Amino acid sequence: MSIPDVTRPDITRNATNAPYWSALSQGRLDFQHCRACGHQWLPARENCPNCLAADPQWQPASGRGKLVSWVVYHKAYAPHLEDRVPYNVAIVELAEGPRMISNIIGHPEGQGLYIGADVELAIARDFGLDLPRFRLQSD
Ligand SMILES: [Zn+2]
């Protein structure tokens, strides 16, 4: 058994998620939807998690969403995060429906955050990646 490298985020690019990363590098957040049942989701999968149909399609998100919940990390559980604490980890529900794990920029300790807060996409270059983060629309 190998020990995972925790010095940076474990991002495995493959044929399934390549469109997701490509869209982010172009300033867009894309999610998948199913032509058979209409379900929409993230992260990328080869089959619809609702009906298992193959060949999901990609579509761009509006970038708007709502804050569902969050936690604040005061301890770094990986070396690459030691200079980041405290920071928040949030669940955001996109206006189109998919939920994703992200961060809310500018509120490291969760101050001013509330459930249902309107958020908007703010793609941030970090760890050599274009990452989907969010800011409060009221900021
Ligand atoms: Zn489906």
Side-chain angles (χ1 to χ4, degrees):
M1 187 171 101
S2 66
I3 298 172
D5 177 5
V6 292
T7 58
R8 61 179 301 267
D10 182 19
I11 304 297
T12 303
R13 292 180 193 241
N14 54 45
T16 301
N17 67 26
Y20 173 82
W21 293 108
S22 177
L24 286 169
S25 70
Q26 298 168 37
R28 204 177 64 246
L29 173 63
D30 285 2
F31 59 88
Q32 289 179 301
H33 81 271
C34 175
R35 287 185 293 186
C37 76
H39 188 63
Q40 304 176 123
W41 68 90
L42 279 172
R45 300 171 55 121
E46 293 181 18
N47 295 81
C48 172
N50 186 52
C51 75
L52 302 180
D55 196 27
Q57 302 297 298
W58 288 94
Q59 72 180 70
S62 65
R64 295 185 307 277
K66 294 206 180 283
L67 179 58
V68 174
S69 188
W70 72 95
V71 295
V72 175
Y73 280 61
H74 293 274
K75 174 178 172 46
Y77 290 95
H80 70 280
L81 297 171
E82 286 178 354
D83 65 345
R84 305 294 177 99
V85 291
Y87 63 93
N88 68 65
V89 175
I91 297 174
V92 168
E93 184 173 282
L94 302 178
E96 295 83 1
R99 288 184 174 188
M100 60 185 302
I101 297 172
S102 183
N103 312 105
I104 306 300
I105 295 171
H107 300 264
E109 296 187 70
Q111 71 284 12
L113 299 183
Y114 59 96
I115 294 170
D118 291 321
V119 297
E120 60 189 9
L121 180 67
I123 295 171
R125 187 85 181 158
D126 201 3
F127 300 114
L129 300 164
D130 295 303
L131 299 174
R133 293 191 169 132
F134 291 83
R135 65 170 51 100
L136 291 184
Q137 285 186 9
S138 59
D139 282 349

